[in-house]
Amino acid sequence: MKRITMVNAVSAGTTQASPIVTIGDLRDYAMHVDFSGSDLAGTLKLQASLDGTDWVDVASSSQAITSAASHIWNVSNAAYEFVRAHWTYSSGTGNWTVLAVIKESFIKGV
């Protein structure tokens, strides 16, 4: 299992993407995003890539943000190698923190 802090309390006052996480041959992951600030607004989504340069929105991952909140995605059997969180800023002030946990989807023998 890999635990990664991708963004740590960085201003969410602009449109931006988190750093890239390489999933490699691990296919299950969770991504947790926390927003602080009382009037922050925008859209949060997951993006995936096969080559780390061309990004596609992960279907049904888009979430409207209208205040401080926490969001989590739990993904199984991902067939892409790279993933990131993408934040589209609309208004307000606040910070975002992005954490990821990537796991093997099988149990190894003893």
Side-chain angles (χ1 to χ4, degrees), residues 72-89:
I72 194 163
W73 293 283
N74 190 17
V75 178
S76 295
N77 297 316
Y80 39 84
E81 188 171 357
F82 305 98
V83 67
R84 68 184 184 185
H86 188 274
W87 166 244
T88 303
Y89 172 78

Side-chain angles (χ1 to χ4, degrees), residues 10-16 35-36 40-41 87 89 91-96:
V10 172
S11 172
T14 62
T15 294
Q16 57 192 291
F35 287 96
S36 65
L40 191 62
W87 166 244
Y89 172 78
S91 64
T93 59
N95 294 327
W96 72 325

Side-chain angles (χ1 to χ4, degrees), residues 43-55:
T43 304
L44 176 66
K45 61 187 170 187
L46 284 177
Q47 292 185 322
S49 176
L50 298 178
D51 61 7
T53 57
D54 296 317
W55 293 94

Side-chain angles (χ1 to χ4, degrees), residues 9-76:
V10 172
S11 172
T14 62
T15 294
Q16 57 192 291
S18 72
I20 299 167
V21 172
T22 302
I23 297 171
D25 62 353
L26 303 178
R27 297 294 175 221
D28 297 337
Y29 70 92
M31 192 170 299
H32 182 223
V33 182
D34 281 318
F35 287 96
S36 65
S38 60
D39 61 350
L40 191 62
T43 304
L44 176 66
K45 61 187 170 187
L46 284 177
Q47 292 185 322
S49 176
L50 298 178
D51 61 7
T53 57
D54 296 317
W55 293 94
V56 176
D57 296 346
V58 174
S60 302
S61 70
S62 184
Q63 300 180 34
I65 307 300
T66 57
S67 65
S70 294
H71 301 276
I72 194 163
W73 293 283
N74 190 17
V75 178
S76 295

